[in-house]
Amino acid sequence: MVSATVGKGAVLGAVVVALLAVPARAATGQAHAGTTAGQARTGAAAGLPAPDTAGLRSVLRSAVAQGAPGAMARIDDNGAMYRATYGFADRSTRRAIGGDDRFRVGSVTKTFSAVVLLQLADEHRLTLDAPVNRYLPGLLPDDRITVRHVLSHRSGLYDYTNDMFARSVSGFESVRNKVFTYRQLVKLSLAKPRTNAPGAAYSYSNTNFVVAGMLIEKLTGHPVRTEYENRIFKPLRLKDTFYVHPDKKLPGRYTRGYLTPDTAGAPLVDATEQTLSWAQSAGAIISSTRDLNTFYSALVRGRLTSSARLAEMERWTPVNSTTAYGLGLRRRTLSCGISVYGHTGVVQGYYTYAFTTKDGRRSLAAVATTSNNGTVLDTMAGTLESAFCGKPKKAPRDAAVAGRNSDAAPAVARN
C-alpha cells in the first residue's frame, strides 16, 4: 500500500503544530492526507507567490509512479512549514516514508565543504587565489590550479567517478565496501587527461571536492568530520546531520535508497549501506529535509561566513541557460524568473534538491529514494517550481519539468 501525508503548520521554536490526518484516495493506491483549513499566506516569504502544495504532492506521486520507492519534500516559509511524503522508506517492511527520515544527501555535501574553506579564508589561513600546491605541495601537476578553481569546478581535474560508475550496479558493488584515501582518489583522476586548462571552463568533477577535503584536513589538522561538526552542525543545531565515513550504516531513523540498474526491468538494488569512501568530502553527509533548509537559509543570511566570503561564493560561472555555479553553491533560475540558491545531490539510491531564496526566507529540500533514473531526477526538479513559483498559470503536465540537470550523467553518481 502506498501512503501519503502532507502537513502545514507554524514553527514556534522547536514545536511544530500537529495536524489531524483524514483519509483520501491517491492515484497510486490508498492514501492518507493531513491538511489544515484554508490556504492563508501567514508567514509567507515577501514577494513570492504562496507555495503550490497540491503541485508538490503531484511531483512526489509522479516520482513514485516513475520508479522511486519513496519521495518527500519540506518547505520552510518564513515561519510556516509545509511537508509532504509519498511511498515507502523500506520496500521490504513497507514502512511509509516519514518527513523526519534521514537520507544521504550526496553532492549537497560540497556546499558544507566550501563553507569550511571560506571560514578558513575569513581566518586568514587560506587564500582563494593561491595555488592548491601551496598548501598540498606536489599534489597536483599544475601550479596554476587555485583553491578558487577547485571550488568552482574550473580546475580541469578529471572526474574519476565517470569511469568508476560507467556501469551502475557493478560499479557500485565494486566500491560499496572499499575504503579509499584522498590521495588514491586524486591518483585515479590524474591518470586521465585534464578536461581544460585551469580556469578556462566549468567542468563538474568530484575530484575537486576531494581536494577540498584534503585542504580542510591539512589546514586544520583535524578530520573533515570534526570541522563540519564544530563549524556548521553544532552551531546551527543540525540534529539530523552527520558525516559518516567509513561506517556504512545511517544513524537513527532513515529512509533506504535504491539504485536503478542499467538493464530495463532488473530489480532495484538496496544501496543504503556503503562506505561512501569513493566520495567523502564530495558527498558523504547524511541529513534531513529540516536540517538542509536550516543550513541553506543560514548560509545566505550570512550566519556562516563574512559578507565578503559570501560574495565570493556567489561569483557565478554560467553552466547553461538556467543554472550557474559559484563556490560550492548553485544558482538556479526557475520558469517564473525567481532565482534560488543551493545544491543538488546524486548518490546511489537518492536524488536530492536543496535550495533557498536570496534572503533565505523560503527554503525547500526534497528527496526521491532512487538514482540512475533520469525521469525521476527531472520530475523532482518540479518541487522547486511548486515551492517557489506557486500555482502555474497554465495547467502543466503532471509534475513534468523540461531539461535534464546538466551535471548528472546516466549511471554516474554525481551532481
Side-chain angles (χ1 to χ4, degrees):
M1 179 184 296
V2 175
S3 65
T5 60
V6 59
K8 173 183 175 182
V11 180
L12 302 174
V15 180
V16 179
V17 178
L19 303 172
L20 178 66
V22 295
R25 176 72 63 178
T28 53
Q30 186 68 34
H32 301 283
T35 63
T36 56
Q39 294 294 327
R41 293 188 59 198
T42 303
L48 294 181
D52 179 9
T53 54
L56 189 68
R57 297 194 297 274
S58 178
V59 171
L60 302 187
R61 283 197 300 270
S62 293
V64 170
Q66 292 161 354
M72 61 176 162
R74 172 174 171 141
I75 302 168
D76 283 288
D77 187 23
N78 196 36
M81 184 272 285
Y82 307 77
R83 185 166 67 188
T85 65
Y86 209 84
F88 297 115
D90 189 321
R91 296 177 72 228
S92 60
T93 66
R94 314 295 275 180
R95 178 176 75 81
I97 194 169
D100 294 323
D101 285 358
R102 297 166 179 168
F103 52 91
R104 297 190 184 278
V105 305
S107 286
V108 174
T109 302
K110 291 178 171 65
T111 311
F112 288 82
S113 296
V115 166
V116 173
L117 286 176
L118 289 168
Q119 289 181 352
L120 291 170
D122 273 329
E123 296 162 13
H124 306 291
R125 300 164 72 181
L126 172 75
T127 300
L128 291 174
D129 291 311
V132 169
N133 283 349
R134 175 185 297 179
Y135 307 106
L136 298 166
L139 177 69
L140 302 181
D142 193 331
D143 285 340
R144 295 176 299 166
I145 299 174
T146 68
V147 177
R148 187 187 302 278
H149 292 151
V150 164
L151 294 181
S152 59
H153 292 297
R154 295 184 299 125
S155 69
L157 295 171
Y158 180 79
D159 189 346
Y160 59 87
T161 63
N162 289 337
D163 301 322
M164 189 176 282
F165 302 121
R167 297 288 295 175
S168 62
V169 175
S170 59
F172 169 64
E173 294 294 356
S174 71
V175 299
R176 74 182 301 171
N177 297 314
K178 282 188 177 180
V179 177
F180 294 94
T181 67
Y182 283 130
R183 289 188 177 271
Q184 286 174 326
L185 296 175
V186 172
K187 185 177 179 180
L188 290 175
S189 169
L190 297 181
K192 293 296 183 77
R194 279 173 277 160
T195 58
N196 50 263
Y202 170 93
S203 183
Y204 193 95
S205 174
N206 283 295
T207 309
N208 289 313
F209 279 81
V210 169
V211 173
M214 296 180 73
L215 286 166
I216 291 169
E217 296 197 347
K218 179 63 180 291
L219 292 167
T220 66
H222 300 140
V224 292
R225 174 189 290 107
T226 300
E227 295 302 311
Y228 292 149
E229 289 175 351
N230 291 342
R231 293 173 177 271
I232 304 173
F233 300 171
K234 290 177 181 177
L236 295 182
R237 298 182 182 178
L238 304 182
K239 64 183 180 65
D240 297 316
T241 306
F242 306 87
Y243 178 78
V244 179
H245 170 265
D247 293 342
K248 294 187 289 184
K249 293 183 179 294
L250 281 69
R253 179 185 169 102
Y254 57 88
T255 182
R256 305 192 76 84
Y258 298 89
L259 172 61
T260 304
D262 297 314
T263 305
L268 298 177
V269 175
D270 188 333
T272 310
E273 294 185 6
Q274 62 163 308
T275 63
L276 247 173
S277 193
W278 61 264
Q280 300 187 51
S281 51
I285 282 178
I286 293 162
S287 193
S288 66
T289 54
R290 172 193 172 276
D291 278 7
L292 292 182
N293 284 351
T294 299
F295 169 64
Y296 278 110
S297 178
L299 173 60
V300 300
R301 291 182 184 213
R303 291 180 57 194
L304 292 172
T305 69
S306 68
S307 58
R309 295 292 82 75
L310 183 58
E312 297 276 9
M313 202 172 200
E314 296 176 346
R315 288 174 58 178
W316 307 108
T317 299
V319 175
N320 57 32
S321 61
T322 60
T323 61
Y325 206 88
L327 302 183
L329 188 68
R330 188 182 307 283
R331 183 186 68 196
R332 187 167 182 138
T333 303
L334 305 178
S335 65
C336 57
I338 292 170
S339 291
V340 291
Y341 305 81
H343 215 287
T344 40
V346 176
V347 66
Q348 291 94 347
Y350 305 91
Y351 284 141
T352 301
Y353 285 83
F355 285 83
T356 191
T357 51
K358 179 68 173 174
D359 60 6
R361 297 178 71 183
R362 184 181 297 178
S363 303
L364 164 94
V367 63
T369 58
T370 195
S371 64
N372 197 35
N373 182 328
T375 302
V376 170
L377 178 65
D378 290 348
T379 290
M380 288 298 289
T383 58
L384 299 174
E385 297 287 328
S386 296
F388 299 106
C389 292
K391 292 184 179 180
K393 294 178 182 178
K394 292 174 139 185
R397 293 168 293 170
D398 188 23
V401 174
R404 178 64 52 85
N405 187 310
S406 64
D407 290 330
V412 178
R414 65 175 187 163
N415 192 277

